[in-house]
Amino acid sequence: MKRSKSSLKKVFILLFVFTMLFSNFSVFAEEQADTFTTYTFDSEGNAVNSPEAYKFIAEYDGRAMGTDGLKNPSDLFVDKQNNIYITDKGNNRIIILNNDFTLKTVIKEFTAANADGAEAVTDTFNAPSSVYVTNAGHMYVADTDNNRIVEFDENNSFIRQIGCPDSKILGDNYVFSPTSIAVDSSSRIYVMIKNENQGIVELNPDGTFIGYYGAQKVQQTLFDWFKTLFMTKEQKSRIAKTIPRTYNSMVIDDKDFVWLTSNSLTVYQRKNYMTSKSSANASVKRLNPSGSDVLTRQGKYAPGGDLLEVSSLVDVAVKDNGVYSLLDNLRNRIFTYDSHGNLLYAFGGAGTQNGCMTLAAAVAYLGNDIIALDSADGTVVLYGMTDYAAAIQNALVSDDEKDFEKSMEYWNTVLDRNQNFELAYKAMGNNYLRNGYYREAMKYYKNADEKDGYSKAFQYIRTDFVKHNFFLVIGIAVVVIVLLLFYKKWVNRENKKLYESGGKHSLKSQLLYSYRTIYHPFDGFWEIKTQQRGTVRSANVILAIVLLTFCYKEVATGYLFRTVAVEQINIPMVLLTVLLPLVLWCAASWGLTTLFDGKGKMKDIYVMTCYSIVPLIFTNIITTLMSNCMVLAEQDFITFITYVGYVWMAALIFSGCMTIHDYQFGKNTLMITFSIVGMGVMLFLALLFATVGQKLIEFFAALYEEAVLRM
């Protein structure tokens, strides 16, 4: 009975804990879902909170607009007079509002002339998907399920309808179902067709077919070219010249560039695009009249939405100053970029909180404000620009107008509000660089992690220093060269003296002998093996020095050539990257050479290897010093010296193996190759045993916990 009560008690306790955990998780999930956040990304791709750029103003449903409810609305458009056009797809109508969201008119039925123009009939839309209004006030409607485009004049009177154009390219059975439409200043019509993956259909002002626009060209690889050499003309003609790509939204800016968004890419393609900035897998494009993508992508990451999670872009809105916003309907967020592709801010969210949406469908600028269409809720959300976003916009405008004094004032205002905004630091660095304040520019560039700008400023400082201290620089160079010559002469003299004396070799003599080994490896390694010119003790000292130089290189490398910040340096990992290959090499080499008549012992292999990595001591120190006085354009010098060090080391290991094992060239090459393969096998087995061991530990720990709970 007591045991039964005890068991029930445990059950109730577990249920209570489970209930609390579940309820806490639910609250947390709800809080995460119902959040209206504003953030940017730093240079490492981490999300960084920023001040509110746009604040929620109001949400308008059909009743608030002065009509009945919206049903599956699909598109928004704002004309030059700030009139708002909503494509109410489910209700087969176009709603036109004033800029204060009061109802102006609703177009559900219209009087249209029939084909011969002799009789007027009443016509209606059927699932219209998009609307576009020209500067002259002409409205074009993509009447999707009626397979046509309908044009109205500035008084919303019917002008014409455009059906499927007659073209051999399109074919007789082509289904002309327009989903998005745009018209340029020359009245050329760009039409996005449902399920069309060959690009945008381009029409003349009279509706005749011009061709496809914006199709992705195939990037032919060397292998693809090679295959065509063995193909017939018929086979070559069947090769696709374009990559199928389905677009989902389209707008035209004031310079007649066509903007397209696509969410038909794979997850890998979208993530790859954000880092590679390749137009081939771009989620958003800006096409010039010839159809080439000219979108500027100069930011740390390509404009395309979220970095930490994959975005699904469904619309783009463009301002006259080049600032544009992308709409992500997976998380209902708006990402705003400047004309260079730098992320200014991202805001929004999914949920029921003010400013959040359920299923975002379209976005547009209403002056400086932003409006977004929520298709699921049938509402339009209005976001108002804050002082923080206004300061950013004013700074960008001042930069474009070359008014750099005002620009610095605005950017300082931005930094006062947000000290984590790297773009502001970069802009301030640019301004200081223009004015010749190079040290101040370097400070701001470093805060922005902008190495290109930092390199330019540093180059000016270096040039100025050399110009004013030319003879000092020459003098230092001469002194260094003389000291190196004296050092070489002294080392050779010491090695010769010790060799002729024939006495016991001290640690000093063994270390100095490494200098002879790196220049005369066959003689050097033979004497190390037979005359004790090198021992395990001296090899340990050399290895310790090499490890110190790697740590020094990691810590003291100049900012321009540093891959990680100083505070993120992991010294144990640095040591492991040197020690692990050395241990694996010695073990694999000893294991193989023992089986294939190698004369060297484990001690010989270890000593030989340590003496072979001596060149890395010099190259690590030299490249580290160079990294603090060179600019990015001179990186090839550092890379070259680094490669020289490793090639030199490989040559020494090769000659050392031949000497200590008494191998011929061919056999030595084979053994080294097998040793490298053996290193890989050993590493794989070590990782495998580590993984299995961890699983076993977790298993027995779970068994122990289960046993304790049942007692």
Side-chain angles (χ1 to χ4, degrees):
M1 190 70 178
K2 289 182 178 180
R3 181 175 296 178
S4 177
K5 289 182 178 180
S6 177
S7 299
L8 286 173
K9 185 177 180 181
K10 289 181 179 179
V11 169
F12 282 122
I13 291 174
L14 287 173
L15 286 174
F16 175 77
V17 172
F18 177 80
T19 304
M20 292 299 294
L21 287 174
F22 183 77
S23 62
N24 287 339
F25 174 79
S26 300
V27 171
F28 176 75
E30 185 177 353
E31 288 174 354
Q32 287 295 96
D34 286 349
T35 53
F36 181 90
T37 57
T38 303
Y39 61 95
T40 57
F41 296 108
D42 62 18
S43 57
E44 296 179 357
N46 301 313
V48 179
N49 289 334
S50 71
E52 196 175 43
Y54 277 81
K55 59 184 178 181
F56 171 78
I57 300 296
E59 184 174 277
Y60 298 90
D61 58 10
R63 180 178 299 178
M65 298 173 190
T67 182
D68 51 351
L70 278 60
K71 184 179 179 181
N72 192 25
S74 58
D75 194 22
L76 274 176
F77 188 87
V78 177
D79 66 14
K80 294 299 181 181
Q81 288 72 42
N82 281 342
N83 295 311
I84 304 168
Y85 297 77
I86 302 174
T87 307
D88 192 4
K89 185 176 182 179
N91 288 319
N92 299 316
R93 61 181 179 172
I94 305 297
I95 300 173
I96 306 176
L97 307 172
N98 295 302
N99 59 4
D100 59 355
F101 286 86
T102 57
L103 185 65
K104 192 171 184 179
T105 187
V106 176
I107 303 177
K108 191 174 180 67
E109 297 180 344
F110 51 92
T111 302
N114 63 6
D116 56 14
E119 181 181 352
V121 296
T122 300
D123 206 345
T124 59
F125 300 116
N126 189 3
S129 298
S130 177
V131 61
Y132 185 90
V133 181
T134 66
N135 291 340
H138 283 222
M139 180 172 65
Y140 291 77
V141 178
D143 195 5
T144 305
D145 286 355
N146 279 331
N147 307 115
R148 64 181 179 178
I149 299 166
V150 184
E151 180 184 357
F152 300 86
D153 64 15
E154 62 275 13
N155 297 315
N156 300 323
S157 298
F158 174 85
I159 295 180
R160 61 171 174 165
Q161 65 179 17
I162 303 172
C164 183
D166 185 15
S167 171
K168 293 181 180 179
I169 297 176
L170 297 179
D172 296 332
N173 298 320
Y174 187 79
V175 179
F176 187 74
S177 300
T179 58
S180 185
I181 187 170
V183 183
D184 66 14
S185 60
S186 300
S187 297
R188 283 188 296 266
I189 305 170
Y190 300 88
V191 190
M192 191 175 293
I193 306 298
K194 181 189 290 186
N195 299 326
E196 176 62 77
N197 59 13
Q198 298 300 320
I200 308 302
V201 172
E202 184 179 4
L203 306 177
N204 283 309
D206 61 1
T208 56
F209 181 75
I210 298 176
Y212 282 111
Y213 179 83
Q216 178 68 49
K217 298 290 189 300
V218 171
Q219 302 294 323
Q220 190 180 47
T221 64
L222 182 63
F223 179 71
D224 294 330
W225 172 81
F226 183 75
K227 285 196 303 183
T228 60
L229 297 178
F230 304 94
M231 290 182 178
T232 64
K233 289 184 178 180
E234 184 179 352
Q235 288 174 324
K236 290 180 180 179
S237 66
R238 292 200 296 265
I239 298 176
K241 297 296 189 296
T242 59
I243 299 173
R245 176 65 47 78
T246 302
Y247 299 108
N248 54 20
S249 74
M250 171 176 57
V251 298
I252 288 185
D253 61 23
D254 59 336
K255 296 181 176 62
D256 280 347
F257 288 86
V258 178
W259 294 69
L260 302 170
T261 62
S262 173
N263 59 359
S264 64
L265 304 168
T266 65
V267 172
Y268 171 77
Q269 287 174 327
R270 285 185 245 183
K271 288 187 175 181
N272 179 64
Y273 159 69
M274 298 296 286
T275 53
S276 68
K277 306 180 186 178
S278 170
S279 175
N281 294 323
S283 302
V284 56
K285 295 185 178 184
R286 183 181 185 232
L287 306 183
N288 62 13
S290 65
S292 300
D293 183 14
V294 293
L295 182 65
T296 304
R297 302 179 177 92
Q298 295 179 352
K300 295 286 184 182
Y301 301 95
D306 218 312
L307 285 175
L308 306 178
E309 302 166 314
V310 176
S311 292
S312 174
L313 302 183
V314 294
D315 200 13
V316 55
V318 186
K319 297 189 70 173
D320 292 342
N321 63 356
V323 172
Y324 57 96
S325 293
L326 303 176
L327 183 65
D328 172 16
N329 75 340
L330 279 183
R331 293 162 191 86
N332 299 299
R333 293 173 184 163
I334 298 171
F335 298 82
T336 301
Y337 300 84
D338 68 5
S339 59
H340 300 290
N342 297 295
L343 179 64
L344 302 178
Y345 36 77
F347 66 91
T352 57
Q353 180 182 335
N354 287 340
C356 295
M357 291 179 282
T358 303
L359 182 62
V363 64
Y365 280 101
L366 183 63
N368 284 326
D369 297 334
I370 291 178
I371 56 175
L373 182 65
D374 189 340
S375 179
D377 292 345
T379 59
V380 176
V381 184
L382 173 63
Y383 303 96
M385 176 181 280
T386 64
D387 293 339
Y388 171 71
I392 295 176
Q393 177 172 277
N394 291 333
L396 294 173
V397 171
S398 299
D399 284 337
D400 290 340
E401 295 176 350
K402 311 299 182 185
D403 190 350
F404 300 120
E405 186 175 344
K406 276 190 176 181
S407 169
M408 292 183 72
E409 293 179 6
Y410 287 126
W411 284 122
N412 272 320
T413 301
V414 172
L415 287 174
D416 288 340
R417 298 285 306 278
N418 183 9
Q419 295 183 1
N420 295 320
F421 193 29
E422 293 181 352
L423 179 61
Y425 287 110
K426 178 181 176 180
M428 290 293 291
N430 290 338
N431 286 327
Y432 277 117
L433 184 65
R434 294 187 191 98
N435 294 323
Y437 298 104
Y438 303 125
R439 295 193 182 278
E440 288 80 1
M442 287 171 61
K443 180 182 70 174
Y444 280 99
Y445 282 135
K446 194 170 185 179
N447 286 333
D449 197 23
E450 175 55 39
K451 292 188 176 181
D452 288 332
Y454 186 98
S455 179
K456 292 177 183 177
F458 178 70
Q459 188 171 12
Y460 282 116
I461 291 176
R462 189 185 65 178
T463 302
D464 185 66
F465 177 82
V466 173
K467 181 179 178 181
H468 291 88
N469 300 275
F470 179 76
F471 293 105
L472 175 63
V473 173
I474 295 297
I476 292 173
V478 170
V479 169
V480 170
I481 292 173
V482 170
L483 289 175
L484 288 175
L485 291 174
F486 272 111
Y487 173 76
K488 180 181 179 182
K489 187 176 181 180
W490 175 77
V491 170
N492 288 333
R493 186 171 62 247
E494 289 294 315
N495 280 328
K496 184 177 180 182
K497 184 191 305 182
L498 292 168
Y499 180 77
E500 293 175 348
S501 66
K504 185 178 179 180
H505 302 299
S506 64
L507 178 61
K508 173 187 173 183
S509 68
Q510 292 170 347
L511 293 175
L512 289 177
Y513 197 73
S514 64
Y515 188 79
R516 172 174 168 78
T517 305
I518 63 177
Y519 288 108
H520 305 282
F522 290 101
D523 293 338
F525 287 124
W526 176 254
E527 292 169 4
I528 285 176
K529 180 180 178 181
T530 60
Q531 301 177 19
Q532 298 298 307
R533 300 303 300 267
T535 61
V536 173
R537 180 180 61 168
S538 60
N540 289 337
V541 174
I542 290 173
L543 178 58
I545 295 173
V546 170
L547 292 173
L548 285 175
T549 60
F550 271 96
C551 293
Y552 167 71
K553 183 177 182 179
E554 197 71 20
V555 174
T557 295
Y559 165 71
L560 288 175
F561 304 98
R562 187 183 300 283
T563 55
V564 295
V566 176
E567 57 272 12
Q568 295 178 338
I569 294 175
N570 188 342
I571 294 298
M573 185 58 65
V574 174
L575 299 177
L576 186 63
T577 56
V578 179
L579 291 174
L580 182 61
L582 186 142
V583 171
L584 291 175
W585 159 256
C586 291
S589 180
W590 175 78
L592 283 169
T593 55
T594 300
L595 297 175
F596 292 93
D597 303 323
K599 307 299 184 184
K601 302 176 182 178
M602 173 64 84
K603 181 196 75 169
D604 299 324
I605 297 173
Y606 173 71
V607 173
M608 177 273 295
T609 305
C610 289
Y611 272 76
S612 297
I613 62 177
V614 167
L616 299 184
I617 297 175
F618 302 105
T619 56
N620 282 346
I621 294 174
I622 292 171
T623 54
T624 302
L625 294 174
M626 290 174 63
S627 70
N628 285 277
C629 57
M630 285 193 164
V631 296
L632 289 177
E634 300 160 347
Q635 186 173 6
D636 290 343
F637 294 104
I638 296 176
T639 303
F640 174 75
I641 293 175
T642 302
Y643 284 159
V644 166
Y646 282 102
V647 171
W648 197 349
M649 177 193 72
L652 292 175
I653 290 177
F654 187 88
S655 58
C657 286
M658 285 186 67
T659 303
I660 65 173
H661 294 304
D662 195 19
Y663 282 157
Q664 296 298 319
F665 182 88
K667 189 173 183 180
N668 188 57
T669 303
L670 195 62
M671 287 301 100
I672 289 178
T673 303
F674 285 160
S675 295
I676 294 172
V677 174
M679 291 170 63
V681 173
M682 291 170 63
L683 182 61
F684 170 77
L685 292 175
L687 293 174
L688 180 63
F689 281 120
T691 303
V692 173
Q694 182 182 0
K695 296 295 183 183
L696 286 174
I697 292 172
E698 292 175 356
F699 174 73
F700 285 116
L703 284 179
Y704 174 76
E705 291 177 2
E706 183 70 19
V708 170
L709 287 174
R710 290 182 177 275
M711 290 178 61

